[in-house]
Amino acid sequence: MIIRSAEFVKSSAAAGQFPPPDMPEYAFTGRSNVGKSSLINMLTGYKRLAKTSSTPGKTKLVNHFLINDHWYLADLPGYGYARTSRSERKGFGRLIESYLRVRENLLSMFVLVDSRHEPQVSDLAFINSLGYNGVPFAIVFTKSDKLSPALLQRNVADYLKRLEQEWETPPPWFCASVTDRRGREEILGYIEKANIKFTANGN
Ligand code: GTP
Ligand code: MG
């Protein structure tokens, strides 16, 4: 897919503020600092579209971006970051929950996990809750430039094996890196296919 335009639409602190659910939407979520905003910039090719930071907890709101005047990308706040206050963490959780409840135009969630780390309890809990609630999702293994191809392969296999304990069919998954733009074509191809299917279904 060619990205012709990508623009920031708005930041929302509550579900009532989201843009109308009138176009296909994809949301990026994952633990704080996993690389959500960086991935959005890499996919769109706009370096400063989503604000990135080496300080975890940068994205505290739901940020909507409109791509090609045709579909939305939503950057969700990171969960599971220890240095935000407990009440703030609860707030993020509630915002993501209400997001999932009202976003009828969400075609797929992208759950980002750091490819260097073992499955984290908060990620597995989140992934399982998506599965139980029937929310379509894909997994993105981020920062894959930071480890050797062999180790990356092993970590991905271990992660998928862990998910198999709970789910029969593995979710779609991608390895990504913003330094070498790995995963860009694959993720955009997945989005393009979902967009086409959405339109073919009379939407
Ligand atoms: P919050 O909004 O705070 O939850 O963080 P985030 O998930 O949006 O992460 P962000 O994109 O801000 O990236 C966090 C840090 O990781 C930044 O310092 C990025 O430069 C770095 N980073 C993100 N993706 C990659 C990657 O693929 N490779 C490498 N080497 N670094 C990355
Ligand atoms: Mg961010």
Side-chain angles (χ1 to χ4, degrees):
M1 173 164 35
I2 294 168
I3 304 295
R4 296 185 311 276
S5 63
E7 58 196 81
F8 171 70
V9 180
K10 69 187 298 195
S11 296
S12 308
Q17 298 165 4
F18 298 153
D22 53 0
M23 281 182 255
E25 181 158 313
Y26 303 87
F28 288 69
T29 190
R31 291 164 69 80
S32 199
N33 208 40
V34 71
K36 297 176 291 295
S37 303
S38 303
L39 184 65
I40 287 174
N41 294 341
M42 186 272 265
L43 290 176
T44 58
Y46 286 68
K47 280 208 179 81
R48 275 175 291 277
L49 190 64
K51 289 198 186 78
T52 64
S53 165
S54 52
T55 318
K58 181 81 188 162
T59 310
K60 298 192 175 184
L61 303 165
V62 174
N63 292 310
H64 274 92
F65 304 93
L66 180 62
I67 316 298
N68 290 352
D69 291 323
H70 176 54
W71 53 278
Y72 287 121
L73 262 183
D75 188 6
L76 303 186
Y79 54 78
Y81 176 58
R83 261 163 62 189
T84 42
S85 70
R86 185 183 272 187
S87 61
E88 203 168 35
R89 273 212 302 279
K90 265 195 181 156
F92 292 173
R94 268 202 299 272
L95 186 54
I96 294 175
E97 256 171 44
S98 59
Y99 173 88
L100 287 172
R101 218 174 25 246
V102 304
R103 258 356 230 173
E104 60 205 57
N105 58 331
L106 177 69
L107 295 196
S108 182
M109 184 70 111
F110 287 89
V111 181
L112 277 59
V113 298
D114 192 316
S115 58
R116 295 168 298 177
H117 301 158
E118 285 181 7
Q120 307 283 307
V121 175
S122 61
D123 289 325
L124 293 172
F126 187 71
I127 289 170
N128 287 335
S129 75
L130 291 177
Y132 288 122
N133 290 302
V135 180
F137 68 93
I139 296 188
V140 181
F141 296 96
T142 65
K143 308 190 186 184
S144 57
D145 56 284
K146 292 204 179 206
L147 67 192
S148 70
L151 192 53
L152 176 64
Q153 202 180 1
R154 199 172 79 203
N155 285 359
V156 170
D158 286 351
Y159 210 104
L160 296 175
K161 213 181 278 165
R162 181 67 192 269
L163 293 181
E164 255 174 39
Q165 293 176 1
E166 207 81 26
W167 306 100
E168 250 169 60
T169 28
W173 58 272
F174 306 94
C175 285
S177 158
V178 301
T179 56
D180 56 19
R181 311 216 307 167
R182 202 179 315 179
R184 186 172 188 269
E185 291 305 316
E186 291 85 352
I187 294 171
L188 289 178
Y190 172 85
I191 291 175
E192 187 169 34
K193 254 196 210 148
N195 281 343
I196 291 170
K197 204 165 141 194
F198 182 76
T199 310
N201 286 340
N203 293 294

